[in-house]
Amino acid sequence: MSEKLKVGILGGTGMVGQRFISLLENHPWFEVTTIAASPRSAGKTYEEAVGGRWKMDTPMPEAVKNIIVKNVNEVEAVAASVDFVFSAVDMTKEEIKKIEEDYAKTETPVVSNNSAHRWTPDVPMVVPEINPEHMKVIEFQKKRLGTTRGFVAVKPNCSIQSYAPVLTAWKEFEPYEVVATTYQAISGAGKTFKDWPEMVGNIIPYIGGEEEKSEKEPLRIWGEIKDGVIVPAASPVITCQCIRVPVLNGHTAAVFVKFKKKPTKEQLIAALENFKGVPQELDLPSAPKQFIRYLEEDNRPQVALDVNFENGMGINVGRLREDTVYDWKFVGLSHNTVRGAAGGAVLCAELLKAQGYITKK
Ligand SMILES: NC(=O)c1ccc[n+]([C@@H]2O[C@H](COP(=O)([O-])OP(=O)(O)OC[C@H]3O[C@@H](n4cnc5c(N)ncnc54)[C@H](OP(=O)(O)O)[C@@H]3O)[C@@H](O)[C@H]2O)c1
């Protein structure tokens, strides 16, 4: 019998769900044994349920093709067959909040890609290189839920991954004011150009709810646990504009920063290149060896050349230069459906396993 942990993917037929399935093919610790989606897909094989909707560049893994898709709403039935689940369902926020807690209450840990629980005070929202210690708040959440091993943990929004890790690496220089503009790929809306032909050659200057997430979520990541909840940091203040651009995968951010202790360019680049976290120390299976790289060329980072750095789990930075109004400006790039969605959640689950929060049932 396999020693791997049995994993269920809630919303496994969707775009993020498909990314989970692709990333978990041949994973050394986790094995996808259960897939759940809407009642429309329940009862079909995974291959039938996805039909022509497979959006990954790599083929559908053979091991999942004949899995019979379950109904996400049949919580007990899904939970009984797995050690933990990844959540990527698309329902209303209230429905997602409830169903993720329902899974947790069956003693099934939930690692979620959804935003529903990102501001639940005792739910950790984690980038494993930045705030792995926030997982400790799970003990308080379990008390609230009345569980012994069930809990919900989430990863933050895709948009912040192109600049929040960079600002973290520069913490010693005390950044206090940040202006960011993000140029976000269409896959962030679960779309390809086939589904969204109006995006060819187009820019749309609005992504619902994205600017608030981009401004506030980094502060929660930089917060600390006090009295059983995560209290967000107050600084640096961030203001953001989020723009949809005709790119399939890869969110770019153009960022201006003011520092209390203004560093030199060499200090900034060294801090990026030397930045490591627990995933690198523990050599977690999905951890990038180099979390952040600096590209010297004036025309980098480019989506076409750089988005898959470290299998989409690394952050690219370039164009670091002094600014006339702010201290420094730079351009960041990260893969929105890998580091920004499923890959970030898989790394969270690996961290949770390493910390002893996810075990065999
Ligand atoms: N795309 C991204 O990069 C990204 C990044 C961060 C967060 N997110 C969030 O992640 C979630 C999934 O996004 P996505 O792009 O993968 O969406 P998607 O492609 O539309 O997939 C949605 C999934 O949810 C299931 N579903 C839909 N309605 C349901 C219902 N009423 N009951 C149960 N299951 C239902 C679908 O099942 P059927 O196939 O049976 O309909 C499918 O498996 C969304 O909440 C989205 O906001 C997406």
Side-chain angles (χ1 to χ4, degrees):
M1 200 177 124
S2 169
E3 284 306 301
K4 291 185 185 181
L5 295 177
K6 289 189 215 155
V7 184
I9 314 288
L10 312 182
T13 50
M15 188 165 202
V16 178
Q18 292 175 21
R19 182 67 76 181
F20 274 117
I21 285 177
S22 300
L23 290 175
L24 293 171
E25 187 180 14
N26 307 318
H27 192 281
W29 297 354
F30 308 144
E31 180 181 3
V32 177
T33 57
T34 302
I35 301 172
S38 79
R40 293 180 290 275
S41 300
K44 298 179 184 167
T45 65
Y46 183 64
E47 192 173 24
E48 284 164 0
V50 172
R53 293 185 291 162
W54 184 254
K55 292 177 181 174
M56 301 297 108
D57 296 334
T58 49
M60 182 183 287
E62 287 299 325
V64 297
K65 283 186 177 169
N66 293 320
I67 291 180
I68 304 293
V69 177
K70 292 192 163 118
N71 178 348
V72 165
N73 303 295
E74 290 173 8
V75 177
E76 292 287 345
V78 175
S81 59
V82 296
D83 294 309
F84 75 101
V85 293
F86 287 109
S87 171
V89 277
D90 196 8
M91 299 160 91
T92 67
K93 205 167 176 170
E94 287 315 308
E95 286 171 333
I96 293 173
K97 264 185 152 165
K98 177 168 184 318
I99 206 156
E100 291 186 347
E101 285 198 355
D102 287 347
Y103 275 90
K105 286 177 186 164
T106 67
E107 303 294 0
T108 306
V110 179
V111 181
S112 181
N113 183 66
N114 286 305
S115 61
H117 274 297
R118 286 191 197 147
W119 289 90
T120 303
D122 58 11
V123 168
M125 174 166 72
V126 170
V127 176
E129 283 86 349
I130 301 180
N131 59 334
E133 73 286 357
H134 281 196
M135 296 299 192
K136 287 188 188 140
V137 83
I138 286 170
E139 293 309 326
F140 297 95
Q141 188 196 140
K142 287 201 269 195
K143 273 191 202 135
R144 172 175 63 85
L145 296 175
T147 58
T148 53
R149 75 186 288 287
F151 62 86
V152 180
V154 301
K155 51 146 284 293
N157 201 49
C158 46
S159 59
I160 76 165
Q161 321 274 349
S162 302
Y163 56 90
V166 176
L167 297 170
T168 308
W170 292 342
K171 204 172 164 198
E172 65 186 291
F173 309 118
E174 299 180 27
Y176 69 94
E177 201 177 296
V178 178
V179 178
T181 304
T182 60
Y183 302 86
Q184 301 193 197
I186 63 171
S187 58
K191 299 275 196 334
T192 61
F193 287 109
K194 195 170 126 225
D195 314 318
W196 203 1
E198 312 85 88
M199 274 310 297
V200 177
N202 196 11
I203 279 180
I204 297 181
Y206 174 70
I207 306 174
E210 203 75 354
E211 290 173 356
E212 194 186 3
K213 290 176 189 168
S214 304
E215 291 170 357
K216 297 211 172 118
E217 288 188 11
L219 294 166
R220 189 163 194 258
I221 305 278
W222 295 319
E224 49 184 297
I225 301 175
K226 278 190 197 142
D227 300 326
V229 300
I230 310 279
V231 178
S235 172
V237 290
I238 302 174
T239 178
C240 198
Q241 293 202 73
C242 298
I243 315 276
R244 187 73 73 194
V245 295
V247 160
L248 181 60
N249 291 311
H251 288 354
T252 297
V255 186
F256 299 80
V257 193
K258 280 187 188 166
F259 293 95
K260 284 196 183 141
K261 298 178 180 163
K262 190 175 173 184
T264 63
K265 185 171 179 180
E266 290 68 32
Q267 284 175 312
L268 289 169
I269 293 174
L272 294 179
E273 290 182 335
N274 295 330
F275 186 68
K276 279 192 182 62
V278 171
Q280 286 70 36
E281 283 158 20
L282 298 180
D283 200 16
L284 297 178
S286 302
K289 296 270 177 278
Q290 179 75 34
F291 181 33
I292 308 175
R293 73 167 167 181
Y294 186 73
L295 294 150
E296 295 285 351
E297 298 90 327
D298 283 337
N299 61 359
R300 305 281 286 277
Q302 279 182 34
V303 170
L305 300 178
D306 302 316
V307 75
N308 291 319
F309 168 54
E310 291 279 12
N311 298 318
M313 290 297 286
I315 313 297
N316 300 279
V317 181
R319 306 238 56 219
L320 183 60
R321 57 225 193 274
E322 272 191 284
D323 185 53
T324 50
V325 177
Y326 280 70
D327 290 327
W328 288 97
K329 54 188 166 189
F330 70 93
V331 174
L333 167 68
S334 64
H335 197 305
N336 56 297
T337 64
V338 182
R339 170 55 79 164
V346 170
L347 191 59
C348 281
E350 292 169 359
L351 175 67
L352 286 161
K353 180 182 178 294
Q355 292 172 327
Y357 290 103
I358 294 182
T359 53
K360 269 215 168 281
K361 262 186 184 166

